[in-house]
Amino acid sequence: MLNIQRSIPIPRISLEKLINYILVVGENPGINCSAIKDRGLDIGKGRGDITRFFQRIGLVEVYGDCNIRLTDTGNTLYRALNRDLALSKMLLHLILYKELPHYRLLINLISEEGPINIAELHKLINQKMRDLSPTAWLNEVAFKAIIGLATDLGVVEVVNGEVSIKYTASVSECIRRAMASIGPQKVLRIDDLNTCIKQSLGGIDIKQSLINSLDGCVEPIIAPGPLGPKSTYFKILNEDCVVKQVVNTILSKSVLDSNH
């Protein structure tokens, strides 16, 4: 079950500004909120809309008298930005996919329904959100902000008013497709997930690390095999928990050491 909140604080600014913000904080740990604004890298009152957004998705932490530093996840993204822009875009997409249920729902809907008219997509996502929570909705501003960000990240493309998924969303596609509905139950096919991620990330193997981190998210479904009972299928107890653990495992792996 997705934990849908009523509002979503996504600033309507360019991906370039988001990237520059991460680079500046990475190069100047502890930089003050006012210095970030003086450089034109934040907008809005108080600590700033971008700072609050990056706090929300776990990229920065704010301490003391509004000083900012990167979290471990933020530092992973910072290192990627200094090596490979395409990889860093994929990582930011995965972080958003993990941390913002609205973003994940939107990407999944485009994967399942696309190409789809933008107006129809907006109606559909709000219909799906109401199914999850009667008070949840995505207003026009937030909807356009998410579409804009996903487009800048190369995850979706908009042609003649229709939105469709692009190949660069393949890692989130791996996650989505590995969580299959069998009757009323959702099942995680961990071998399929691992194979797909290996193909997408140049051989990175997450299977054992992931299995070790999924306690409380899944229950094993034991099946007989030639070498005795084994489990490669897991009953999903908490879909949100599974997505977060898969992405955390990918982020903690030596993705940055692969040849991208």
Side-chain angles (χ1 to χ4, degrees), residues 59-188:
L59 292 179
V60 305
E61 55 186 2
V62 180
Y63 64 98
D65 187 23
C66 208
N67 300 102
I68 308 165
R69 61 189 169 209
L70 299 178
T71 60
D72 289 345
T73 300
N75 274 308
T76 298
L77 182 60
Y78 171 70
R79 291 195 300 273
L81 284 167
N82 281 294
R83 296 190 188 190
D84 186 329
L85 182 58
L87 174 63
S88 63
K89 284 183 176 182
M90 185 273 290
L91 292 179
L92 181 53
H93 161 64
L94 282 180
I95 291 162
L96 292 168
Y97 192 80
K98 177 183 80 160
E99 296 294 340
L100 294 180
H102 310 70
Y103 182 88
R104 189 191 319 158
L105 183 58
L106 188 76
I107 297 301
N108 287 348
L109 279 174
I110 297 169
S111 294
E112 293 161 7
E113 305 288 340
I116 181 171
N117 177 272
I118 288 183
E120 289 301 314
L121 178 62
H122 192 195
K123 288 179 187 174
L124 184 59
I125 190 170
N126 276 324
Q127 180 184 320
K128 294 282 187 183
M129 287 172 63
R130 279 194 298 272
D131 290 343
L132 296 170
S133 171
T135 59
W137 61 287
L138 197 63
N139 66 33
E140 187 79 17
V141 172
F143 175 73
K144 286 182 175 176
I146 295 178
I147 291 286
L149 194 49
T151 303
D152 289 347
L153 288 170
V155 174
V156 304
E157 60 183 351
V158 182
V159 179
N160 297 325
E162 289 197 328
V163 193
S164 57
I165 210 76
K166 290 183 72 174
Y167 179 71
T168 44
S170 56
V171 176
S172 58
E173 281 289 271
C174 291
I175 297 170
R176 184 181 71 84
R177 291 173 181 171
M179 294 193 293
S181 294
I182 299 179
Q185 180 61 54
K186 270 206 166 182
V187 170
L188 176 65

Side-chain angles (χ1 to χ4, degrees), residues 221-225 228-232:
I221 300 171
I222 305 299
K230 65 173 186 174
S231 177
T232 57

